[in-house]
């Protein structure tokens, strides 16, 4: 199989070719600094083994008889013969077809060829051009995302076995896709136990992987399986409903459609290595015929149902707080006891969990939990971790150092790395002992009807002020589709819109359908980190309504760049969980947490007025002198967050209102190190 892998590497390489920051350390205990050179030297230097031996499509039988298939990557000598040594095993459970991982690993690891190509693309400078965002796509390979998503041959050659397994019902594995359910979680534990007992395993395990393969790491670690020593989840989440299915109580229809198409499409690709050996799994084909589009009916039902009475099966379970499936989709990270290094991004799909990592991993000391936040989207996370001065090392470097420390016992100092390492949007990389960082003060910025003069094309142009409004006003906003060209859509579509600066880096087209409120210019550089909450007085003309709030950094030239986002449904306003909600010292809500139970909605009478707390994703941003802060209020935020079918039916998608009143003011609660403007 060594020759097979070599041929695959060469073919993929040919097809693949065809187609300045400063850190501000704030962590007193982080004695290693932001980029210890010895970690990169160890990663890129001579390795213990000369090669990688691949055994594709290894069957793993689950306790119910279903067969999962895995590719096993073992250290090998120069001739490609697998080592007989017992080494730690790193497991990656993926729904995206392990063949993709094999191709990605091959394409990015052609000796003498891949690295120069990766370096070339990473060195392209498009600053000042209309497609400057393309740089993120060009740099992401050098940043190391592939080391987490796929297989890292350097890690294998250093003395680890990596196993990539197609989860049940996806890729080349038999069964029906269980989508993070209890059966799938049991499969993960059984695979770990199987890996621990292999002849090439020394009994010590780790887990790696990106996105889906990061989420199931946390699910498994919370169950404390025997032999698991460390995990490196890249872009994970712990509450699948709150984080992606219903972000801010909106329906994440755009990403879910893209994702379901990708997984259900990739599972139709047969097991090519087995076919080359003259083997074919008839049970796999039968399972695909019986279950061609898993979760698509549920997706469409959630979008089109007129009432909760029409919801059935897992759609009903998803929006019911106490259902068994809903419980399976929530991971109690406090139960995790193995060292955990989380990487994510401020424009990622799963920021809602990622920024909370250090708090959620409450069972671990700082030495055993780390958070690194890129400024990228889901497919461009790590574009800014190139190991340059002031930047963290590439993800592969960090992952190797993490596993070496906690699985092999190497004293490399990564336990003394800063607990939080963050690329401030608009600023530099910053390290700290916690996130949010100390020194932030929660301040009200009131919504007023006074014209700011900075947003002439929005539905209405108001101001953010340290004092409340002087007069009453009733502003109206209607559902629209201007948000299709926005930073939020780029987030939702995992970064595919990055090359189009007019949308991905400037929100003014989207703001044509919004009410905007903009601050005076910042006089000094102002740090904003943590959650931002919009406390707003609203009125709807139907039984329900849906609002979205987007916070952006407005440059002196008028460019409006999204830094965070949130949404809220009127009928769940009474589902605030006070035990999980965050409050400012004055009692203001700063981080609202809602139960998101569709069967306990509180509908209103048409014309009713109510306050809403629209929480946004935690953020880290630097407002430069002369820049302004803006909050935009929408009645829709397609495709990232639209209303569920029953909510759309009850709201009738009618125009909605924001009430500005001196006696009942609305405000934006902002955590910053100094007043803005």
């Amino acid at each position: 199989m060594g020759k097979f892998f070599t041929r695959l590497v060469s073919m993929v390489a040919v097809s693949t070719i065809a187609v300045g920051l400063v850190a501000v350390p704030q962590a007193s205990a982080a004695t290693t600094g932001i980029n210890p050179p010895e970690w990169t030297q160890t990663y890129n230097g001579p390795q213990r083994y000369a090669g990688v031996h691949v055994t594709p499509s290894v069957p793993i039988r689950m306790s119910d008889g279903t067969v999962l298939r895995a590719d096993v990557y073992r250290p090998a000598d120069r001739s490609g013969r697998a080592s007989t040594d017992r080494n730690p095993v790193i497991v990656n459970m993926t729904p995206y077809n392990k063949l993709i991982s094999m191709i990605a690993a091959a394409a990015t690891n052609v000796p003498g060829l891949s690295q120069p190509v990766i370096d070339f693309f990473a060195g392209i400078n498009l600053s000042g051009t209309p497609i400057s965002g393309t740089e993120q796509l060009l740099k992401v390979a050098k940043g190391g995302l592939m080391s987490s998503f796929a297989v890292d041959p350097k890690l294998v050659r250093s003395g680890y076995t990596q196993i990539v397994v197609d989860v049940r019902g996806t890729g080349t594995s038999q069964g029906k896709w269980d989508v993070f359910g209890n059966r799938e979680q049991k499969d993960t534990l059984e695979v770990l136990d199987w890996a621990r007992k292999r002849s090439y395993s020394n009994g010590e395990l780790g887990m790696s992987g990106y996105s889906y393969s990061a989420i199931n790491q946390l699910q498994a670690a919370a169950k404390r399986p025997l032999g698991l020593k460390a995990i490196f989840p890249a872009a994970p989440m712990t509450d699948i409903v709150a984080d992606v299915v219903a972000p801010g109580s909106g329906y994440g229809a755009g990403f879910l459609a893209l994702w379901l198409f990708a997984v259900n499409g990739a599972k139709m690709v047969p097991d090519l290595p087995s076919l080359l050996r003259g083997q074919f799994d008839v049970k796999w084909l039968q399972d695909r015929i019986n279950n061609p589009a898993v979760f698509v009916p549920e997706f469409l039902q959630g979008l089109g149902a007129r009432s909760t009475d029409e919801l059935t099966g897992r759609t009903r379970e998803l929006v019911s707080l106490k259902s068994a499936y809903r419980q399976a989709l929530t991971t109690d990270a406090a139960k995790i006891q193995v060292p955990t290094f989380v990487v994510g991004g401020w424009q990622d799909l799963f920021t809602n969990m990622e920024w909370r990592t250090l708090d959620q991993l409450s069972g671990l000391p700082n030495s055993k939990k780390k958070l690194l936040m890129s400024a990228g989207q889901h497919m461009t996370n790590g574009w800014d971790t190139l190991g340059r001065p002031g930047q963290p090392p590439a993800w592969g470097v960090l992952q190797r150092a993490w596993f070496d420390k906690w699985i092999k016992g190497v004293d490399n100092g990564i336990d003394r790395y800063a607990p939080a390492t963050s690329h401030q949007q608009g600023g530099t990389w910053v390290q700290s002992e916690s996130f949010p960082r100390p020194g932030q003060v929660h301040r009200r910025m009131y919504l007023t009807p006074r014209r700011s003069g900075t947003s002439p094309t929005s539905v209405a142009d108001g101001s953010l002020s340290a004092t409340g409004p002087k007069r009453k006003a009733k502003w109206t906003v209607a559902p629209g589709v201007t948000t299709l060209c926005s930073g939020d859509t780029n987030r939702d579509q995992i970064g595919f819109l990055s090359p189009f600066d007019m949308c991905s880096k400037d929100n003014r087209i989207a703001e044509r359908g919004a009410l905007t409120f903009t601050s005076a210019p910042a006089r000094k550089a102002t740090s904003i980190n943590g959650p931002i909450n919009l406390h707003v007085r609203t009125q709807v003309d139907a039984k329900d309504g849906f609002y979205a709030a987007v916070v952006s950094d407005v440059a002196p030239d008028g460019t409006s760049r999204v830094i965070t986002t949130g949404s809220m449904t009127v009928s769940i306003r009474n589902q605030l969980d006070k035990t999980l909600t965050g409050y400012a010292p004055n009692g203001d809500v700063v981080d609202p947490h809602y139960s998101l139970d569709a069967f306990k909605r509180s509908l209103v009478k048409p014309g009713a007025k109510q306050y809403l707390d629209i929480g946004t994703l935690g953020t880290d941003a630097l407002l430069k002198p002369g820049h302004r802060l803006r909050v935009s209020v929408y009645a829709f935020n397609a495709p990232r967050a639209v209303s569920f079918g029953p909510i759309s039916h009850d709201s009738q998608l009618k125009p909605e209102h924001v009430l500005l009143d001196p006696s009942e003011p609305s405000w934006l609660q902002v955590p910053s190190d100094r007043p803005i403007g």
Side-chain angles (χ1 to χ4, degrees), residues 55 113 121 247 337 340 342 351 367 378 383 405 437 480 483 485 500 506 574:
T55 306
L113 184 60
F121 284 119
Q337 292 186 334
T340 302
V342 170
T351 304
S367 61
H378 201 58
W383 72 273
K405 167 63 182 177
R437 292 186 292 277
T483 50
C485 178
F500 306 103
D506 193 346
N574 295 330

Side-chain angles (χ1 to χ4, degrees), residues 168-181:
R168 171 183 299 255
T170 73
T172 58
S173 290
Q174 297 175 356
K176 180 181 179 180
W177 185 25
D178 192 32
V179 198
F180 297 115

Side-chain angles (χ1 to χ4, degrees), residues 437-518:
R437 292 186 292 277
Q440 305 295 294
V441 176
H442 292 280
R443 297 178 172 88
R444 291 183 181 182
M445 300 188 72
Y446 291 92
L447 277 59
T448 79
R450 182 174 59 84
R451 185 173 178 274
S452 76
T454 63
S455 188
T457 60
S458 61
V459 175
D461 170 26
S463 295
L464 288 175
S465 173
T467 58
K470 304 297 183 184
R471 60 181 175 85
K472 290 185 178 182
K474 179 180 178 179
W475 285 1
T476 301
V477 63
V481 294
T482 59
T483 50
L484 292 175
C485 178
S486 69
D488 263 14
T489 294
N490 194 32
R491 181 198 292 264
D492 179 80
Q493 296 299 292
I494 67 174
F496 280 128
L497 293 183
S498 294
F500 306 103
D501 288 5
M502 61 181 289
C503 293
S504 64
K505 288 189 172 183
D506 193 346
N507 222 46
R508 283 180 289 184
I509 292 177
E511 289 165 3
R512 288 176 178 268
L515 310 176
T516 60
F517 302 87
T518 311

Side-chain angles (χ1 to χ4, degrees), residues 474-668:
K474 179 180 178 179
W475 285 1
T476 301
V477 63
V481 294
T482 59
T483 50
L484 292 175
C485 178
S486 69
D488 263 14
T489 294
N490 194 32
R491 181 198 292 264
D492 179 80
Q493 296 299 292
I494 67 174
F496 280 128
L497 293 183
S498 294
F500 306 103
D501 288 5
M502 61 181 289
C503 293
S504 64
K505 288 189 172 183
D506 193 346
N507 222 46
R508 283 180 289 184
I509 292 177
E511 289 165 3
R512 288 176 178 268
L515 310 176
T516 60
F517 302 87
T518 311
S519 74
R523 296 181 179 180
K524 296 181 179 180
T526 303
S527 174
I528 300 171
N529 63 85
I532 297 174
N533 180 58
L534 177 62
H535 180 76
V536 61
R537 184 81 169 158
T538 65
Q539 183 181 36
V540 292
D541 297 331
K543 295 185 295 183
D544 207 347
F546 178 78
Y547 289 82
V550 175
V551 181
S552 56
D553 174 340
V554 182
D557 67 359
T559 302
S560 177
R561 190 164 184 171
V562 174
I563 59 175
T564 188
T565 180
S567 55
M568 173 67 184
T569 300
V570 171
S571 59
I572 71 157
R573 67 197 181 284
N574 295 330
Q575 294 187 30
L576 190 72
D577 186 333
K578 295 183 178 180
T579 62
L580 297 175
T581 292
Y583 297 89
N586 67 353
D588 284 356
V589 172
V590 298
D591 183 22
H593 189 285
Y594 297 96
S595 298
L596 303 179
D597 193 323
F599 297 95
K600 295 183 179 179
R601 291 189 300 141
S602 299
L603 299 176
V604 297
K605 292 182 179 180
K609 303 173 182 178
Q610 53 278 314
Y611 272 112
L612 300 180
D613 282 298
I614 308 175
T616 69
L617 305 173
T619 191
D620 192 7
L622 185 71
L623 208 62
K624 296 177 181 177
H627 285 233
R628 303 168 186 257
L629 194 70
R630 173 177 294 161
V631 62
S632 303
V633 182
Y634 302 85
F636 224 54
N637 191 6
R640 172 173 167 74
V642 299
S643 51
F644 277 96
I647 295 166
S648 297
H649 178 74
D650 289 332
S651 71
Q652 301 174 47
L653 299 181
K654 288 185 174 182
E656 302 169 349
H657 316 287
V658 169
L659 307 177
L660 305 173
D661 190 331
S663 62
E664 295 179 298
S666 300
W667 60 76
L668 192 69

Side-chain angles (χ1 to χ4, degrees), residues 48-49 74-77 81-87 199-201:
R48 179 180 171 189
Y49 298 93
R74 294 169 60 187
D77 60 22
R81 289 175 301 201
S83 169
T84 58
D85 296 340
R86 292 177 178 268
N87 287 305
S199 61
Y200 47 77
S201 170

Side-chain angles (χ1 to χ4, degrees), residues 42-52 73-76 85-88 90 152-162 396-397 399-401 403-404 408 410:
T42 298
Y43 181 74
N44 290 328
Q47 303 301 327
R48 179 180 171 189
Y49 298 93
V52 176
Y73 298 78
R74 294 169 60 187
D85 296 340
R86 292 177 178 268
N87 287 305
I90 309 299
D152 187 347
K154 290 183 180 179
L155 183 67
V156 176
R157 290 193 293 111
S158 75
Y160 293 89
T161 291
Q162 280 199 268
V397 174
Q399 180 175 253
R400 163 79 187 277
F403 288 151
D404 279 356
K408 292 187 174 180
V410 178

Side-chain angles (χ1 to χ4, degrees), residues 34-35 40 142-143 382-395 397:
I34 196 168
N35 186 13
T40 301
K142 189 173 179 63
W383 72 273
D384 45 3
T385 56
L386 307 181
R388 294 173 179 171
Q391 294 181 352
W395 288 8
V397 174

